[in-house]
Amino acid sequence: MKSGKLTRFNLRAVTAALASLVVLGGVGVGIDAYAADSRATSVATANVVRPIAIAQAVDGALNFGSFSVPAGGTVKIFPTATSGGGRVVVNAGPVLIGAAPGSAGKLDVTGEASLTYAITLPADGDVIIIGPGTTGIRTMAVNSFTSSPTPTGQLSALGAQTLLVGATLTTAADQVTGAYSGSYTVRVEYN
């Protein structure tokens, strides 16, 4: 009988030990499942492109040509005009002089091949050209700027494009005679 008691005791001890292992093992597995982490390695990339630039072409001045002003009015250059192209519209007073009355501004845009860019032209009231002397009406406003292309451009496969600029010049009846000049700014930035 002693061996029967021992067997029952051993059986109870083994059962209790197994039950404890199952309980503790289950808890341990649960803790391990929550404590596990997951990691991945990914790739970081970058693409550096040529900066966009703009500059006036050698023959690129916005030229309103020569005219007399018996009365006030406007002289308009279209952005499709080229040197000697003659795409000029006169409203009211100014009378054009000569065979090549004016030309569009010509700017060279360079940068990364095939990228598009936005064009920002001067606002009305921002640009005047100034003539000679110190008395009389010696300024003329340049407004209504337009461009070709507009409002965005796209660089060629070589990373270049010509941007033409037109505008409207307002004259007064008593405009001082002589050469007038001034500057304007065109801004370009990648889209």
Side-chain angles (χ1 to χ4, degrees):
M1 268 238 195
K2 279 189 175 181
S3 68
K5 284 185 182 178
L6 186 57
T7 305
R8 262 188 268 154
F9 174 75
N10 284 341
L11 186 58
R12 280 188 203 156
V14 169
T15 304
L18 285 175
S20 295
L21 282 174
V22 169
V23 170
L24 291 176
V27 171
V29 169
I31 292 172
D32 287 341
Y34 291 111
D37 64 358
S38 178
R39 295 179 186 171
T41 301
S42 188
V43 176
T45 64
N47 183 30
V48 178
V49 299
R50 250 174 78 188
I52 192 165
I54 186 169
Q56 181 177 309
V58 173
D59 58 346
L62 174 56
N63 182 357
F64 290 95
S66 297
F67 49 88
S68 63
V69 189
T74 60
V75 178
K76 181 175 184 174
I77 301 289
F78 289 91
T80 53
T82 57
S83 183
R87 296 198 187 274
V88 178
V89 173
V90 175
N91 183 16
V95 177
L96 297 176
I97 308 293
S103 60
K106 185 177 178 184
L107 304 166
D108 294 324
V109 182
T110 57
E112 188 72 15
S114 304
L115 289 184
T116 61
Y117 61 93
I119 302 162
T120 304
L121 299 169
D124 286 354
D126 284 353
V127 180
I128 60 168
I129 57 175
I130 301 171
T134 57
T135 60
I137 300 172
R138 49 188 284 285
T139 62
M140 291 186 274
V142 183
N143 293 304
S144 303
F145 280 84
T146 57
S147 69
S148 177
T150 190
T152 61
Q154 182 170 17
L155 297 169
S156 70
L158 299 175
Q161 185 172 42
T162 297
L163 176 67
L164 298 176
V165 176
T168 300
L169 178 73
T170 302
T171 65
D174 297 332
Q175 203 74 54
V176 170
T177 61
Y180 286 69
S181 67
S183 62
Y184 64 96
T185 301
V186 176
R187 182 177 157 200
V188 293
E189 60 185 324
Y190 287 127
N191 288 325

